[in-house]
Each structure stands twice: as C-alpha cells, then as structure tokens.
Amino acid sequence: MPTAWSEVISPAQFASGCAWITATMQGHRAHVAFDLLSNLTLASLGYGDGVATFEAGVKDWHEKATGYPRGEA
C-alpha cells in the first residue's frame, strides 16, 4: 500500500485496504482507518488540497471523540 500522497493508490489497493480494515477493526477505529485510507486515496489522485481543507475543518470533531491519528490507521 502506498504511504505517500505522491503515489497513486489503485482501485485494487483501495479495495484491499478496505478488506483489511473490516477484517481487523470495528467501530470508531475502523471508521477512522477508512477515513484515513479515503483521504490518502483522494490525495494520491491530486485532491490533496481538498483533503487538507476538510481535515482542518473536522479536526476537532475527531480529537474530541478519541483523537484523530493523522496518517496512522
């Protein structure tokens, strides 16, 4: 799985990541992991500015709940 936004994530890699998340996580942890995977995927396709804007806008929501592990699933 690519770890940098400069590496494009393929549909197969995204599907594999989703399968791994659902097989190994539940609840809020799975939701956060999917958010991070989705954000990484969008950013890898050139939507990084939008992702950064969104993350900045919702940062407090996640941190107030359980903490938002930026860049870590």
Side-chain angles (χ1 to χ4, degrees):
M1 176 76 57
T3 58
W5 285 6
S6 62
E7 300 175 55
V8 174
I9 296 174
S10 72
Q13 289 171 311
F14 180 77
S16 176
C18 290
W20 180 79
I21 290 168
T22 59
T24 62
M25 298 178 197
Q26 296 179 21
H28 186 72
R29 185 170 180 226
H31 184 161
V32 170
F34 179 77
D35 284 353
L36 293 170
L37 176 60
S38 297
N39 291 352
L40 183 64
T41 301
L42 285 168
S44 82
L45 296 170
Y47 297 95
D49 290 344
V51 170
T53 298
F54 181 79
E55 284 185 339
V58 301
K59 180 181 177 204
D60 289 342
W61 301 350
H62 290 285
E63 288 180 350
K64 288 177 184 173
T66 59
Y68 196 65
R70 296 196 177 285
E72 300 172 13

